Amino acid sequence: MARQDSHAKIAEHVQRLGEKHPPIPLDSVDRTIHDAEAVKARFGHTIDYLARVELEVDRNVLELLVLLPDVDDTNKTFYSDVWQPQEIQHGLILDRLQQDLGREPASPHMDVSFKIKILGALANLKPIQEVAKLMYFLTGASTERQAVLAYNQISAGLKEMGETAIAETIVNPIKQQEPGHFAFYNMSASAMVNDGVLKPWQLFLARVLRERSYGLVGTNGRADHKAAMGRVAEDLGIDTDLEGYAREIGRVEQRLLWAHRQGMPFPPYILRALRESVDLYRERGFGPATA
C-alpha cells in the first residue's frame, strides 16, 4: 500500500508540473541589457555553462533510454513531456542571452559515455536496472539543487546591477521550474528506499557506484568541463564555502544512502569533486576572468 501511495503522489506531482509550468516561450522574455560588458564579465561564463548543461538534456534522455529500458509511464511522462521540453527552452533562452552578451553559442556535449553504455547493457537485469534508477534519481536531485543555487545567485546579482529585465523574465522563470524537478527526483529516490524496493546488496552497490562515479552538473567526466565548473564556483562565490555547498547539494543522498554513517554531514565524494574542479580551474584556467 505504501508503494502504491508513493507512486500515486509522484504521478500527481508530474501532472501538476506539466499543467502549471509549460515550457517558457522564447518570445516571452525581455532581453534588455543596460551594461552588456559588466554582465558578461560577472556572469558570462556561468550563463554559458548553464546554457550548455540545459541543452544537453537531449543526451540525458538518450542515456535514460539506455539505462531504463523498462521505465514506467510516470517516469516517461516526466522526462519526455515535462522535463525535456522545459530544459531545452531554458538552454535556448540562455544561449540567446549569452550571444546578446557577445559570446559564442554553447557547445553541448551530446555523446553517450562508454560507462553509461556498459551499465545499460546490464540494465536488462531487473536488479541492476533498479540500482540504475536510484542513481538516476540521486543524480537528478543533486544537479537540480545545483541549478537552483546557481540561478538564485545570478538573479540576485543581476538585480544588484540593475539588470531587472533579464533577471525577472529569464532567470527567475527558469529558477521557478527547477524546484519541481528536484522534488520529483527527491520523492522518487525516497520512495525507492523507504518502500523497500532495493535489497541491502543493491543499496551497497549504489553507494559504491555513486562514490566512484559522482560528478558535478555538466562536468561529464571531462577535465575541461571540470575546470569550467571550477570557474563557475569562483564566479558565484561557491569556492568560499565548499563544505557548505556540498552539504546543500548532497542532502538527499546523505539521507538515503549514508544515514548509517553517524556524523557524516555530506558524502565526501561531493567535496572531492568540488575541490577537483576548483583546483583544475586554478591550475589550468578557463580563459581570462573577463571572457
Side-chain angles (χ1 to χ4, degrees):
M1 181 63 71
R3 189 177 302 184
Q4 291 177 347
D5 289 344
S6 298
H7 185 79
K9 289 178 181 178
I10 295 168
E12 290 171 4
H13 175 71
V14 171
Q15 182 178 354
R16 285 196 303 272
L17 281 182
E19 293 172 352
K20 294 184 177 181
H21 296 285
I24 302 167
L26 288 171
D27 60 4
S28 70
V29 306
D30 182 350
R31 302 189 345 257
T32 300
I33 303 171
H34 299 295
D35 189 340
E37 286 303 314
V39 174
K40 179 181 177 181
R42 185 170 178 182
F43 293 119
H45 172 79
T46 299
I47 291 170
D48 171 59
Y49 193 91
L50 291 170
R52 174 178 63 78
V53 169
E54 302 278 17
L55 290 172
E56 288 174 351
V57 65
D58 285 338
R59 189 203 74 227
N60 299 148
V61 170
L62 291 176
E63 291 172 343
L64 292 176
L65 293 174
V66 171
L67 291 174
L68 306 177
D70 301 321
V71 69
D72 59 82
D73 289 341
T74 296
N75 275 277
K76 188 177 296 184
T77 298
F78 173 75
Y79 72 66
S80 64
D81 297 342
V82 178
W83 179 64
Q84 191 276 347
Q86 290 178 358
E87 297 286 275
I88 202 71
Q89 286 301 102
H90 297 174
L92 292 172
I93 291 168
L94 291 172
D95 200 31
R96 181 174 293 184
L97 173 61
Q98 76 156 337
Q99 291 175 65
D100 290 344
L101 298 175
R103 295 179 59 93
E104 293 297 315
S107 299
H109 176 70
M110 301 305 292
D111 295 332
V112 176
S113 73
F114 181 70
K115 291 180 181 179
I116 293 291
K117 293 177 181 177
I118 291 295
L119 187 55
L122 300 172
N124 287 310
L125 302 171
K126 185 178 179 181
I128 300 301
Q129 185 172 168
E130 288 171 340
V131 173
K133 196 173 185 180
L134 178 63
M135 296 277 286
Y136 153 57
F137 293 144
L138 293 175
T139 297
S142 177
T143 57
E144 294 294 346
R145 186 61 183 148
Q146 291 172 67
V148 169
L149 293 173
Y151 289 126
N152 283 342
Q153 290 286 90
I154 297 170
S155 177
L158 289 173
K159 289 177 181 178
E160 288 175 2
M161 300 170 72
E163 301 289 354
T164 54
I166 54 177
E168 295 291 350
T169 71
I170 294 180
V171 180
N172 284 359
I174 291 174
K175 181 179 70 171
Q176 289 167 4
Q177 292 189 339
E178 302 293 358
H181 304 164
F182 171 82
F184 168 79
Y185 294 122
N186 183 24
M187 293 168 67
S188 299
S190 298
M192 288 194 76
V193 175
N194 296 334
D195 294 349
V197 174
L198 300 169
K199 294 179 172 61
W201 73 265
Q202 290 173 297
L203 287 170
F204 174 79
L205 179 58
R207 292 186 191 102
V208 171
L209 292 174
R210 195 69 176 148
E211 191 166 16
R212 295 184 179 181
S213 66
Y214 181 85
L216 297 169
V217 61
T219 52
N220 300 315
R222 292 175 43 160
D224 57 338
H225 288 175
K226 291 177 182 179
M229 179 61 195
R231 176 165 173 188
V232 170
E234 289 214 349
D235 286 354
L236 297 183
I238 294 167
D239 62 315
T240 62
D241 184 14
L242 292 180
E243 292 191 4
Y245 187 77
R247 188 178 298 108
E248 280 290 331
I249 67 176
R251 290 185 190 278
V252 174
E253 53 201 277
Q254 165 62 25
R255 173 171 53 84
L256 297 178
L257 289 184
W258 305 99
H260 63 292
R261 296 281 186 90
Q262 297 296 324
M264 180 191 287
F266 49 79
Y269 49 79
I270 296 180
L271 184 59
R272 284 200 300 270
L274 285 164
R275 285 175 172 162
E276 180 186 19
S277 284
V278 171
D279 289 346
L280 275 172
Y281 169 59
R282 290 173 178 171
E283 289 170 6
R284 63 186 290 174
F286 197 85
T290 57

